[in-house]
Amino acid sequence: MSAEELLKKAESLLSGVGQGTTRPEPNRLDVVVPASDLVAAATALRGADWGYLSTLTGVDLGKDANEIEVLYHVCERDAVTTLRVRVPRAGGTVPSLHTVHPNAMLFERELIEMFGVTVTGLADTSHLFLPDGWPEGTYPLLKDTDVRAAAAKTTGSEPPEMGRHGDRFIVPVGPQHPALKEPGHFEFAVDGERVTGATVRLGYVHRGIERAAENQTYTQNLYLTERVCGICSHSHANAYVNGVEQLAKIPAPPRAQAIRQLVACLERIHSHLLWLGVAAYEAGFDTLLMYSWRDREIVMDILEQLTGNRVNYSANILGGVKYDVTAAIAPVIRRGLDKLEERAKHYLHVVTADTSFLSRAQGIGVTSKEEAASLEMLGPTLRAAGVARDVRIDAPYGSYKQFPVTMVLDSAGDLAARFKVRVLEMLESIRVIRVILDGLPEGTLSVKFPRRIPAGETISRFEAPRGELFYYLKSNGTDKPERVKIRTPTICNWIYVLTKAVGAQMADVPPLLASIDPCFSCNDRMIVVNRGGGDRRIWTRENPQRLAGAQTRR
Amino acid sequence: MLVDIWSSFFKKPVTQRYPFERLEAPEQFRGRLVWDPSKCNGCCLCIKDCPANALELITIDKKAKQFVMRYHADRCTYCSQCVQSCRSECLRMAHDQWEPASLSRHDFVVDYGNEADIAHILEKYGTPSARATAAKTSE
Amino acid sequence: MRALINLLFFPGGLFLILLALAYEWADRKLLARFENRIGPRWFQTVADIVKLLVKEEITPATSHPILFGVLPVVAMTGALTAALYVPLLGMRPALSFNGDLIVTLYLLSLLTMAVGMAGWNSTSRFTMMGATRALTQLFSYEAPFMLALLGPAVVAQSWQINQIVANNRGVWLLLTQPFGFAVALIGLMGKLEMPPFDAPKAKTEIVAGALTEYSGRGLGLFHLGKGIELVVGLTLIAALYMGGIANPVEFFGKTLLLLVVLTSLHAILTRLRIDQTVGLWWRYGALVVLLQWLALIVWKGVTA
């Protein structure tokens, strides 16, 4: 079905509840919905199996308008339906959608703490992003909040008691733990070796990027968004720059788009190789870690030769790219790809045939197609369960129409399937890069781009190595954006991990965690999923020191 | 895997023995920023576009195009947006300057320009270290 | 006097410790080369131990302080004493009596039990899980491992290591009792908590297992104890299955060959979960070694 047909279907499904519909862009439908009809609207779409809730955005319309607009973005293939709800700035209320979309629970908690909107029907309304000691009543994403002052007033809290919680034996993983490459805090209640409960607290690297982006120009934001994550930095840069170019209605020239896709494919290879090593390390297979990270050097060297840096490539500018694939660099890329292809094929053999490895990966974390779709997961984890969802194929943008990517699917849904899918995606990326190199369009690398972007809003979706990356951009005619909303793919996969962890063996939990390819820095959010009265505390720097001192005997 | 480990055993380790072995960075590598004062016309686009406030242009004589550029190497994110924004092509990133570590913070404040101009600036505003101390005491 | 020198400096005591460090270095260097890395320099293991021995010991408040301090010493003692009964460097064992094979194995198990107790004593969540896993693993590989090592004893008709080596001189039992040899070798990996059997000290799950709360001297002693266990274990298997050890050349040659085999297995296998370890040992390990014993008994009956 084309976008037009999908949107027509959505329109008819929402005909009873909408107060006004518009088509701001060919693939977007905006429906104004009163807060009271929100659940009915979401149910209407879900009931007809139209789309998944990608995210919800809060936008402060300013002190004069005295309203906050909450946008619920539901995506189906390349069509995006946005349900727009307006609430008063102080004391606004929306009903919770978590009965319709499980992930809404997480997005709504962000809304509560960032904007001060009350969400009814949500059991756990504690902080998602912000520390526990954040001053009450201060909402960072409202335009007039002094964030610095609020941060200075944030207090720490008392550390929890170590040992047993009631009759549950709790194993903490993080914030410092050899299993984690980035900080996060998990608590697993175990009975022997079996996990009986799981809670998670993230957001240790929350940097307030969405707020910071509102104070910087569009050009400066290129580099801010790029640094949301180190390993999917180009995906963020691409999603952002695509969005800005859509707002300005100036597309980048074909050669630039092809080069962007080339770098994105290289980044995918980079990311999957890194993940392969980390996931193997979590399962205890150190040798695979060493080999895959050794081979990662090949792709990092290619990227360094092409863009000038091994991580954070900074290849994009508004309206194009900075660096060209010259006649000197193309053979270097090809040689590197040949080596990578050979290694990727070898890894495919290892992850599908090595007995000791399979004993730790096969049959663990099995997810059926229905479960994966109902939990609204994203990325290779979803594709390993057999659900065909990939933004590059569902909603191809720019050069992805000229150089299409084939979907990589597997039906087993377990850890081994995820390994297989990611290695096959590496091979697919290598193929696409070769096609791009053979058929690179001629032309300029960039076009002139204005500093002031005309007012409007747009949605930009990009398939990062971890799944769909969702950017909502709103401009106001100046050289600084009005609102930048970033929803990273990892946040959509957390509920799945916590659900699957319960009942699993403790030894399987780190590989399970690693299998969704979590990117904590992308995830600048804190999630706490309560499973029966767990403690949720945040530790400042002094607490661990004090605790360690109290805990020792000289 | 058995074949792998045995062939690795007989091959040379891939570890690069830095600092005894130093690989050359490619041409494209984004190292330290270098400014050519002769081409600059003082438009300050580089400063507007820098995401990290790493550049300052100190004007001595705008008509005669006498400037001193103060580059904060510790703030720079090496994104090369300034290189792109500059229309006179006076900025480039030196691919061979990629070991910026230093024992003192003040080595990171780099002044580019003619000798005489820089001396003039330092005299007027003090040395970077003196300037930093002055700024600190006034806070 | 001479006995004292033997005990404290050569070939026991100090020499044994240095030998243990050298073997640990060889293991780490081999592993590194298998993984295409450089690996540690020759004095690395010595430096590690010196560093640990001079570091501050931090005792958890909820542990029993005397036990906390004594258990590393117990572990070390077990390992050092076990070394008295094996033909180190091809020399006659310092002590020898009928049944010392069993005693040696139990002294090595003493080390594992000390680790388990240390984990329980530390009362941290990671250590308790690690201790449970260490003891579970002990119960699972102990029986097949012991049976595998008793195979050569049956052939030599003696329970004394000295006698076994003398009677089996030149006979490479690994050829005639391949299953027993395989079980013994893999059993040694289990005893040493070498991957794939390193679930008790799985870094990515329970930080460092039973020894998480140890630092400084206690950790140093446990570490040394494990190194000595490596040497003693390798010597035992080489002496029993590879035709005995009569001189230093044979000693180094055979034990290092075994070490290479162990490290290769270390490099190519993934860590097994504890339930998979137990399953492996109680199903396949026990079965294989019992088959071996059956073959032995039949052979004995036929040739008697």
Side-chain angles (χ1 to χ4, degrees):
Chain A
M1 276 178 124
S2 70
E4 184 55 43
E5 292 167 356
L6 285 168
L7 290 177
K8 274 211 169 60
K9 185 170 174 210
E11 232 178 319
S12 69
L13 286 166
L14 294 170
S15 53
V17 285
Q19 277 176 349
T21 62
T22 43
R23 294 283 188 90
E25 281 171 318
N27 66 333
R28 279 177 53 209
L29 170 71
D30 277 356
V31 181
V32 179
V33 174
S36 48
D37 288 334
L38 181 61
V39 182
T43 317
L45 287 174
R46 195 90 179 98
D49 215 8
W50 200 101
Y52 56 94
L53 181 70
S54 198
T55 189
L56 60 93
T57 312
V59 185
D60 182 9
L61 296 175
K63 261 198 130 134
D64 304 324
N66 206 22
E67 278 192 314
I68 293 175
E69 194 170 26
V70 188
L71 308 170
Y72 294 80
H73 307 283
V74 184
C75 302
E76 173 72 20
R77 305 256 160 253
D78 51 344
V80 181
T81 301
T82 307
L83 304 170
R84 307 182 78 107
V85 181
R86 285 201 179 201
V87 292
R89 210 153 178 266
T93 318
V94 287
S96 170
L97 281 187
H98 78 276
T99 47
V100 186
H101 298 281
N103 280 334
M105 166 175 39
L106 308 172
F107 305 138
E108 281 160 359
R109 286 167 65 187
E110 176 198 355
L111 186 70
I112 295 169
E113 68 182 355
M114 291 292 171
F115 288 95
V117 175
T118 315
V119 178
T120 56
L122 196 61
D124 185 2
T125 56
S126 54
H127 281 306
L128 192 65
F129 285 81
L130 301 173
D132 282 335
W134 184 266
E136 272 302 311
T138 320
Y139 304 110
L141 280 177
L142 290 179
K143 293 285 176 191
D144 51 352
T145 310
D146 184 352
V147 182
R148 269 187 207 276
K153 282 197 287 181
T154 306
T155 57
S157 58
E158 284 304 308
E161 286 288 310
M162 294 281 252
R164 291 170 179 256
H165 281 224
D167 59 353
R168 288 182 304 156
F169 189 75
I170 302 230
V171 178
V173 175
Q176 280 81 37
H177 193 278
L180 300 175
K181 295 291 162 281
E182 292 153 315
H185 180 67
F186 300 86
E187 285 188 358
F188 297 106
V190 295
D191 174 22
E193 285 280 328
R194 208 148 268 280
V195 176
T196 53
T199 72
V200 65
R201 181 77 154 129
L202 300 170
Y204 289 84
V205 278
H206 180 56
R207 294 147 287 170
I209 288 184
E210 289 179 13
R211 179 61 196 245
E214 293 173 13
N215 297 331
Q216 294 200 297
T217 64
Y218 286 97
T219 316
Q220 290 173 325
N221 276 336
L222 264 173
Y223 304 103
L224 183 65
T225 53
E226 194 183 50
R227 279 155 179 77
V228 170
C229 177
I231 196 66
C232 31
S233 75
H234 185 76
S235 310
H236 280 277
N238 267 2
Y240 173 76
V241 96
N242 281 340
V244 179
E245 287 168 1
Q246 276 166 228
L247 280 173
K249 298 197 178 27
I250 301 174
R255 192 177 177 87
Q257 290 188 6
I259 294 176
R260 280 183 192 165
Q261 185 178 354
L262 191 132
V263 178
C265 288
L266 282 169
E267 183 183 62
R268 181 164 264 104
I269 298 171
H270 183 181
S271 170
H272 286 334
L273 269 174
L274 185 147
W275 172 83
L276 185 65
V278 170
Y281 174 67
E282 306 275 346
F285 200 1
D286 290 356
T287 314
L288 192 57
L289 165 72
M290 301 294 171
Y291 285 164
S292 57
W293 281 45
R294 174 197 63 189
D295 298 327
R296 204 171 69 108
E297 296 292 317
I298 304 173
V299 73
M300 284 208 276
D301 286 340
I302 297 177
L303 283 161
E304 190 184 32
Q305 298 234 343
L306 180 60
T307 62
N309 206 354
R310 284 149 53 98
V311 182
N312 286 345
Y313 326 120
S314 299
N316 291 349
I317 50 171
L318 296 176
V321 292
K322 287 183 188 137
Y323 306 106
D324 195 11
V325 177
T326 58
I329 295 181
V332 171
I333 300 179
R334 282 186 206 274
R335 275 200 299 273
L337 288 179
D338 290 337
K339 270 190 269 184
L340 283 168
E341 189 175 23
E342 186 209 319
R343 295 306 301 166
K345 289 201 171 112
H346 176 74
Y347 293 132
L348 188 60
H349 175 78
V350 170
V351 302
T352 47
D354 188 284
T355 342
S356 77
F357 180 79
L358 284 175
S359 73
R360 291 300 301 278
Q362 215 167 37
I364 297 172
V366 179
T367 316
S368 68
K369 200 168 165 179
E370 294 72 34
E371 195 182 350
S374 75
L375 284 172
E376 294 182 337
M377 290 158 62
L378 293 172
T381 327
L382 182 70
R383 294 195 279 277
V387 180
R389 194 178 287 164
D390 186 329
V391 180
R392 294 171 294 173
I393 297 156
D394 297 335
Y397 37 85
S399 58
Y400 284 87
K401 294 189 190 120
Q402 193 184 355
F403 305 106
V405 177
T406 332
M407 182 90 73
V408 176
L409 286 176
D410 196 278
S411 53
D414 59 3
L415 296 192
R418 285 169 216 166
F419 275 95
K420 201 167 150 202
V421 163
R422 287 193 174 95
V423 178
L424 286 172
E425 279 191 1
M426 270 202 279
L427 289 166
E428 174 65 17
S429 299
I430 293 173
R431 181 194 73 79
V432 173
I433 296 174
R434 288 200 177 119
V435 171
I436 297 177
L437 283 175
D438 290 337
L440 200 61
E442 291 300 320
T444 53
L445 285 180
S446 64
V447 289
K448 202 157 155 46
F449 212 82
R451 279 181 183 275
R452 292 200 173 72
I453 310 288
E457 44 172 55
T458 187
I459 287 171
S460 169
R461 297 155 69 201
F462 194 89
E463 184 76 15
R466 280 155 194 77
E468 175 193 320
L469 188 57
F470 188 99
Y471 266 67
Y472 165 85
L473 291 160
K474 185 171 179 190
S475 55
N476 54 13
T478 62
D479 61 349
K480 298 195 167 78
E482 172 80 11
R483 175 88 169 94
V484 176
K485 161 77 180 177
I486 307 170
R487 196 276 290 135
T488 54
T490 308
I491 193 178
C492 294
N493 290 334
W494 280 123
I495 302 237
Y496 162 72
V497 168
L498 296 173
T499 319
K500 270 285 179 257
V502 176
Q505 299 261 5
M506 185 63 209
D508 286 332
V509 168
L512 188 69
L513 260 169
S515 74
I516 64 164
D517 203 355
C519 184
F520 290 81
S521 36
C522 263
N523 216 296
D524 47 4
R525 298 159 191 254
M526 289 180 183
I527 306 175
V528 177
V529 175
N530 261 329
R531 294 202 34 103
D535 295 299
R536 298 160 273 113
R537 315 280 178 92
I538 186 71
W539 291 28
T540 60
R541 187 167 41 101
E542 295 81 43
N543 293 344
Q545 283 178 345
R546 207 168 11 105
L547 188 68
Q551 279 247 303
T552 64
R553 209 179 253 140
R554 284 289 171 270
Chain B
M1 283 300 287
L2 198 60
V3 174
D4 263 326
I5 60 170
W6 279 105
S7 61
S8 295
F9 183 77
F10 292 112
K11 277 196 279 210
K12 192 167 170 290
V14 289
T15 320
Q16 183 196 346
R17 285 166 167 84
Y18 182 83
F20 306 113
E21 286 174 20
R22 273 189 176 81
L23 288 181
E24 246 194 64
E27 276 292 318
Q28 206 77 284
F29 185 76
R30 302 198 295 266
R32 234 179 205 208
L33 191 66
V34 177
W35 180 67
D36 181 1
S38 58
K39 299 186 191 161
C40 180
N41 64 2
C43 68
C44 287
L45 276 176
C46 54
I47 295 167
K48 284 201 195 91
D49 280 342
C50 176
N53 291 333
L55 292 172
E56 285 176 48
L57 198 69
I58 306 166
T59 315
I60 298 174
D61 186 343
K62 187 132 191 196
K63 277 225 152 68
K65 299 225 184 335
Q66 263 189 307
F67 306 106
V68 165
M69 174 160 285
R70 182 156 279 175
Y71 167 59
H72 295 272
D74 51 347
R75 292 187 210 161
C76 177
T77 59
Y78 302 91
C79 65
S80 81
Q81 177 64 44
C82 49
V83 176
Q84 291 289 314
S85 303
C86 178
R87 289 184 206 149
S88 330
E89 289 183 15
C90 41
L91 288 165
R92 66 178 180 91
M93 302 209 94
H95 77 274
D96 49 354
Q97 290 186 40
W98 50 273
E99 290 167 297
S102 157
L103 287 171
S104 151
R105 241 248 154 100
H106 307 300
D107 290 339
F108 289 107
V109 182
V110 183
D111 289 324
Y112 287 118
N114 295 321
E115 286 293 327
D117 293 339
I118 296 180
H120 173 88
I121 292 292
L122 290 179
E123 206 188 285
K124 200 167 169 197
Y125 295 110
T127 55
S129 51
R131 202 171 181 225
T133 325
K136 243 195 159 92
T137 47
S138 64
E139 258 170 39
Chain C
M1 189 56 209
R2 191 184 161 78
L4 209 60
I5 294 181
N6 278 351
L7 200 63
L8 289 176
F9 296 104
F10 185 88
L14 195 61
F15 175 77
L16 182 58
I17 289 174
L18 288 173
L19 195 67
L21 292 175
Y23 270 70
E24 190 199 328
W25 173 83
D27 178 34
R28 284 169 65 177
K29 191 77 177 175
L30 264 172
L31 187 66
R33 285 300 159 112
F34 285 143
E35 294 172 352
N36 227 181
R37 299 182 282 127
I38 300 180
R41 289 175 296 179
W42 63 269
F43 53 82
Q44 184 69 45
T45 47
V46 178
D48 285 340
I49 283 296
V50 169
K51 177 206 79 171
L52 280 175
L53 290 173
V54 302
K55 262 173 81 167
E56 178 190 8
E57 179 87 51
I58 298 177
T59 318
T62 46
S63 72
H64 195 289
I66 297 180
L67 261 184
F68 195 83
V70 158
L71 282 168
V73 180
V74 169
M76 186 71 166
T77 314
L80 284 171
T81 318
L84 292 175
Y85 298 98
V86 293
L88 274 182
L89 277 189
M91 301 190 339
R92 206 167 38 88
L95 296 172
S96 191
F97 60 88
N98 202 2
D100 62 9
L101 178 61
I102 315 287
V103 172
T104 312
L105 288 172
Y106 271 108
L107 282 170
L108 292 180
S109 302
L110 182 65
L111 194 149
T112 317
M113 281 195 273
V115 167
M117 281 182 71
W120 175 86
N121 185 38
S122 301
T123 64
S124 147
R125 284 164 277 190
F126 299 124
T127 60
M128 293 182 101
M129 283 194 78
T132 317
R133 287 185 186 187
L135 294 174
T136 312
Q137 192 158 295
L138 179 72
F139 295 145
S140 60
Y141 69 70
E142 190 71 2
F145 183 55
M146 197 167 288
L147 283 176
L149 287 177
L150 292 180
V154 168
V155 172
Q157 301 194 341
S158 166
W159 298 88
Q160 203 169 338
I161 297 181
N162 218 359
Q163 288 284 67
I164 302 172
V165 172
N167 291 357
N168 288 344
R169 182 80 189 107
V171 180
W172 280 58
L173 284 167
L174 74 88
L175 297 169
T176 56
Q177 293 183 27
F179 295 137
F181 175 67
V183 173
L185 204 62
I186 313 274
L188 184 62
M189 288 179 85
K191 187 159 229 32
L192 299 169
E193 289 179 5
M194 241 178 150
F197 303 114
D198 63 339
K201 54 178 173 81
K203 221 186 316 175
T204 54
E205 296 153 29
I206 45 177
V207 185
L211 302 179
T212 312
E213 299 295 335
Y214 274 90
S215 54
R217 212 178 41 241
L219 187 62
L221 288 176
F222 270 120
H223 194 89
L224 268 179
K226 291 198 169 172
I228 297 171
E229 195 183 32
L230 173 67
V231 175
V232 172
L234 287 174
T235 317
L236 207 54
I237 297 186
L240 294 177
Y241 274 100
M242 289 170 83
I245 301 178
N247 52 61
V249 174
E250 274 193 30
F251 174 76
F252 283 115
K254 289 178 183 175
T255 46
L256 286 174
L257 182 66
L258 280 178
L259 185 66
V260 168
V261 172
L262 285 184
T263 313
S264 311
L265 287 172
H266 174 166
I268 63 177
L269 295 171
T270 318
R271 178 191 311 140
L272 290 176
R273 279 202 317 258
I274 192 71
D275 65 306
Q276 288 171 330
T277 312
V278 172
L280 181 79
W281 278 104
W282 278 112
R283 275 183 236 140
Y284 301 107
L287 202 65
V288 166
V289 87
L290 283 175
L291 276 174
Q292 181 70 72
W293 265 79
L294 202 63
L296 266 177
I297 292 170
V298 166
W299 173 79
K300 270 276 158 186
V302 163
T303 56

